[in-house]
Amino acid sequence: MYDYLIVGAGLFGSVFAYEANKRGKRCLVIDKRDHIAGNIYTEDVGDIQVHRYGAHIFHTSNKEIWDYVNQFATFNHYINSPVAVYKEELYNLPFNMNTFSKMWGVHTPKEAKAKIQSQIDQLNISTPKNLEEQALSLVGTDVYEKLIKGYTEKQWGRDCTELPAFIIKRLPLRFTFDNNYFNDPYQGIPKGGYTAIIEKMLEGIEVQTSTDYFELIKEKPALAKKIVFTGMIDEYFAYQLGELQYRSLRFETEDLPEENYQGNAVVNYTQREIPYTRIIEHKHFDFGKQDHTVITREYPSEWEKGSEPYYPINDERNNTLYEKYHALAQKEQNVIFGGRLGQYRYYDMDKVIAAALEAVKEEFSEDHVFG
Ligand SMILES: Cc1cc2nc3c(=O)[nH]c(=O)nc-3n(C[C@H](O)[C@H](O)[C@H](O)COP(=O)(O)OP(=O)(O)OC[C@H]3O[C@@H](n4cnc5c(N)ncnc54)[C@H](O)[C@@H]3O)c2cc1C
């Protein structure tokens, strides 16, 4: 009998497995996919690390998490600076002085602020009724029309006027010439890819891929004393209270016989008529000099049972339903629910590591897990 059966070889499951193994516990890690690393899986395609499930940039403000992850990899100095394409125009992201000077020919923060404010004032929106009004009241017409509207409509598969205002709480505007997308002090891409991090975490631990929990546990119900479950919480409970909803993604990857396709790792396409939201050119995450390149187009799509659930839709209906599943989960003895699917929330990688370490601290009744 194992001490822990860990369902999901993603970041949450792997951090938990690494820490439990370090404490002398016998673990079995399973994943229904045919590989480890979950959504952070990267694979080598002609010496280029390809992010199979979408672009992943590690960034954090938490020094302890940064030190923790650096045990397993050396990070490069990649800084995420996406570019947006709208019709024939190219803009820097996030919205900053480079964006504003290109859009309006302004030179100073004062001019940019005045331009935005005059557009907001003309709209006269007091209480935004939907996402469109919310965005317009925060950034004015031009930034909304060119850089937010089409992209958001593709992401959610419906018009911004039909989306609730709460989806966009803030739209940070930066009045400096700074294209660094993230504000966090620590950022980079692991040299050799993310899969190598997970391989290191799982060193010396039994792992079975292409293994579904529900089938395995039917055959061997007494396999482990405890379960760490990072799959979908509603699936665990056989959808007895109803299904939680997600947005899904479809990726189309091409290996091209050219050196440099778009000159940047991430290029967003903000026009609604173009069906993909972005093109990732993987080699630029790693300053690659290979004589070929690999690009991936990312298409948002409706989620249906059986397709990959990428983004939880945290609206009122789903959050209420999740709370009911969470209440059931709390009664489930000897099962720890974790990760983006087990907790039905969007988690960046640093937050998933922090959550897994928190679960370890609780499980082993320790005051701290670092050091
Ligand atoms: C498109 C996209 C881009 C992202 N970009 C970033 C980024 O730039 N920076 C950042 O910090 N974060 C990013 N993230 C978030 C990041 O992917 C997550 O933080 C992280 O992958 C979550 O790890 P996890 O272990 O919770 O889930 P997962 O990686 O999904 O692991 C769960 C695993 O459980 C397995 N599983 C599920 N059910 C079963 C079952 N019944 N039996 C066996 N196995 C099962 C699944 O196959 C999966 O491998 C991004 C996410 C997406 C979707």
Side-chain angles (χ1 to χ4, degrees):
M1 203 190 218
Y2 294 95
D3 292 310
Y4 293 95
L5 168 62
I6 295 161
V7 182
L11 198 49
F12 189 99
S14 302
V15 168
F16 192 96
Y18 173 79
E19 293 294 334
N21 185 54
K22 212 164 78 178
R23 288 161 178 77
K25 303 294 176 191
R26 201 168 160 238
C27 301
L28 172 64
V29 179
I30 62 164
D31 204 297
K32 64 179 177 186
R33 292 176 178 173
D34 63 2
H35 58 76
I36 58 166
N39 275 358
I40 66 170
Y41 178 66
T42 49
E43 60 190 334
D44 189 309
V45 177
D47 206 27
I48 296 172
Q49 287 297 324
V50 171
H51 299 205
R52 163 107 63 101
Y53 301 98
H56 279 76
I57 299 118
F58 198 96
H59 59 97
T60 187
S61 294
N62 186 329
K63 171 84 165 60
E64 286 180 323
I65 297 294
W66 181 243
D67 290 343
Y68 185 83
V69 76
N70 273 271
Q71 295 177 79
F72 305 100
T74 305
F75 280 76
N76 70 18
H77 60 283
Y78 176 82
I79 297 285
N80 196 33
S81 318
V83 166
V85 176
Y86 177 75
K87 298 188 176 166
E88 298 306 310
E89 300 161 24
L90 275 181
Y91 293 102
N92 289 110
L93 296 174
F95 314 133
N96 72 80
M97 282 304 293
N98 289 307
T99 328
F100 309 140
S101 71
K102 183 85 180 278
M103 201 170 272
W104 303 309
V106 294
H107 291 183
T108 64
K110 200 188 268 175
E111 287 173 293
K113 281 182 188 171
K115 185 84 189 168
I116 291 167
Q117 199 52 52
S118 77
Q119 293 192 354
I120 293 173
D121 291 346
Q122 273 177 24
L123 292 160
N124 208 10
I125 298 168
S126 49
T127 317
K129 290 193 291 295
N130 52 47
L131 187 145
E132 174 160 297
E133 291 191 1
Q134 170 80 339
L136 281 167
S137 67
L138 292 168
V139 296
T141 319
D142 289 341
V143 173
Y144 171 70
E145 292 284 344
K146 293 186 174 190
L147 299 176
I148 296 171
K149 185 178 191 301
Y151 192 87
T152 309
E153 292 183 339
K154 286 190 280 189
Q155 268 188 322
W156 291 95
R158 61 197 92 144
D159 292 349
C160 285
T161 48
E162 290 167 21
L163 289 165
F166 80 84
I167 292 179
I168 291 183
K169 291 195 182 71
R170 299 179 318 122
L171 281 171
L173 298 170
R174 202 181 272 168
F175 294 96
T176 53
F177 290 89
D178 176 5
N179 296 327
N180 181 353
Y181 196 78
F182 298 115
N183 292 317
D184 295 320
Y186 310 105
Q187 180 174 181
I189 302 283
K191 292 182 182 173
Y194 288 96
T195 306
I197 293 184
I198 301 296
E199 274 166 4
K200 260 194 160 171
M201 287 178 178
L202 298 180
E203 230 167 57
I205 298 172
E206 273 182 73
V207 178
Q208 279 177 30
T209 50
S210 305
T211 304
D212 184 77
Y213 167 74
F214 301 103
E215 286 166 25
L216 182 68
I217 211 71
K218 238 188 281 164
E219 270 172 46
K220 298 176 180 167
L223 191 58
K225 291 181 201 151
K226 273 200 156 180
I227 289 162
V228 175
F229 188 81
T230 73
M232 292 159 66
I233 189 166
D234 53 350
E235 188 180 15
Y236 180 91
F237 291 107
Y239 306 104
Q240 59 181 271
L241 305 171
E243 281 171 34
L244 292 165
Q245 296 169 312
Y246 297 85
R247 285 292 289 164
S248 196
L249 294 171
R250 183 168 63 79
F251 299 104
E252 252 178 39
T253 297
E254 275 184 274
D255 193 344
L256 302 173
E258 60 186 285
E259 210 195 309
N260 189 0
Y261 177 77
Q262 62 183 16
N264 205 34
V266 183
V267 176
N268 289 5
Y269 285 79
T270 57
Q271 250 176 287
R272 187 158 184 188
E273 298 76 46
I274 293 178
Y276 43 86
T277 42
R278 46 187 192 170
I279 299 183
I280 305 304
E281 187 169 11
H282 302 269
K283 71 191 304 179
H284 296 307
F285 284 128
D286 220 9
F287 316 105
K289 301 272 182 284
Q290 299 84 352
D291 59 5
H292 70 119
T293 193
V294 180
I295 62 162
T296 301
R297 292 188 175 80
E298 195 173 304
Y299 298 81
S301 65
E302 285 298 325
W303 174 82
E304 50 194 53
K305 222 156 129 184
S307 64
E308 207 50 65
Y310 285 102
Y311 297 110
I313 302 181
N314 289 106
D315 60 13
E316 218 176 297
R317 178 238 175 230
N318 287 306
N319 286 344
T320 308
L321 183 55
Y322 168 71
E323 283 310 323
K324 291 183 183 158
Y325 277 119
H326 180 58
L328 285 183
Q330 283 185 315
K331 287 188 211 138
E332 198 77 351
Q333 280 191 345
N334 302 324
V335 185
I336 297 166
F337 290 84
R340 64 182 190 100
L341 300 172
Q343 292 174 296
Y344 192 67
R345 58 187 288 188
Y346 179 82
Y347 258 141
D348 271 331
M349 291 179 274
D350 61 328
K351 303 292 187 308
V352 164
I353 295 176
L357 291 174
E358 203 46 48
V360 167
K361 201 167 90 176
E362 224 170 88
E363 180 63 9
F364 298 103
S365 311
E366 292 169 8
D367 291 339
H368 59 89
V369 277
F370 294 107

